[in-house]
Amino acid sequence: MKLFSMFAGALALAIVGGCGPFWVNPYITVEESKLNRVEIHYYKLDKKPIYRTSVYIDGGGYVLLKKGTSELISNDFAKHNDSEGWENIKTQRVHVDPKHVNDIFQALVNEGLLDGEKLFKGAKEPRKDRVLGVNARINGQAYNQQANIFEVNPDLAEILLDVVREFDNPTLR
């Protein structure tokens, strides 16, 4: 009976404390795994055609950078092959130390990548000149954000932008 009352007390503290379910901790220690991955999409909207940059990183150290104006940068199944800038795509594949990749993943988790409660507590003004999106799978926890990260979590957006800059030698245009 004492065990039940301790469990009920802990549950009540978690609920009253305003935090999410205590069994889902978004601030985890990232384990090295080839199954971990992060994909970042960055768009500059101030010019036509739209300039896109995409960085895919997996836990094994494989990094794929795509940049240009082609829709293929952010959508492998794009159909508008008659659109302006369709052929403007540059691709670079790099292998980096998996420990460095794990450090990147840990920095993203520490900044709240997996924390759904940090969303929509960011900037008040919409960003019309640039958009940043991300989807990830780290330690079995998935994250897919459809909204502009600059608007929903500006601190995370800056970390993600630093990751893009790290692999996009060194400017974004």
Side-chain angles (χ1 to χ4, degrees):
M1 189 66 166
K2 183 169 178 130
L3 181 62
F4 176 73
S5 64
M6 287 175 49
F7 177 73
L11 181 59
L13 277 174
I15 292 171
V16 172
C19 62
F22 63 89
W23 57 87
V24 179
N25 182 6
Y27 298 96
I28 55 176
T29 301
V30 178
E31 299 169 8
E32 282 189 42
S33 170
K34 291 182 180 181
L35 298 176
N36 291 341
R37 63 168 181 75
V38 170
E39 187 169 2
I40 306 165
H41 297 278
Y42 176 74
Y43 307 100
K44 292 282 288 178
L45 305 176
D46 55 353
K47 297 179 187 173
K48 293 291 180 186
I50 297 169
Y51 190 79
R52 299 167 166 90
T53 304
S54 173
V55 177
Y56 171 86
I57 308 169
D58 75 14
Y62 174 75
V63 178
L64 174 63
L65 171 72
K66 296 188 281 187
K67 60 184 179 177
T69 58
S70 177
E71 290 181 34
L72 291 170
I73 292 167
S74 53
N75 180 2
D76 290 331
F77 302 102
K79 298 184 215 180
H80 304 105
N81 59 357
D82 58 346
S83 65
E84 183 181 356
W86 175 260
E87 295 174 0
N88 182 359
I89 183 170
K90 295 178 180 139
T91 305
Q92 180 180 5
R93 292 172 179 87
V94 180
H95 288 278
V96 296
D97 185 5
K99 290 181 182 7
H100 177 63
V101 169
N102 203 60
D103 290 343
I104 291 171
F105 292 166
Q106 188 66 59
L108 294 173
V109 167
N110 292 349
E111 196 54 56
L113 177 69
L114 302 176
D115 189 354
E117 291 184 8
K118 285 190 87 171
L119 297 180
F120 301 106
K121 295 186 179 176
K124 305 280 185 207
E125 297 294 319
R127 293 298 305 242
K128 298 190 187 237
D129 59 336
R130 57 188 186 163
V131 174
L132 188 66
V134 64
N135 66 51
R137 184 183 182 285
I138 297 177
N139 285 12
Q141 293 187 34
Y143 176 88
N144 187 3
Q145 177 60 325
Q146 300 300 320
N148 186 357
I149 302 295
F150 285 114
E151 296 174 9
V152 297
N153 190 341
D155 296 332
L156 176 60
E158 291 304 318
I159 299 291
L160 290 166
L161 201 52
D162 285 344
V163 173
V164 171
R165 286 180 181 132
E166 178 179 347
F167 296 107
D168 188 19
N169 304 329
T171 62
L172 292 172
R173 276 193 192 187

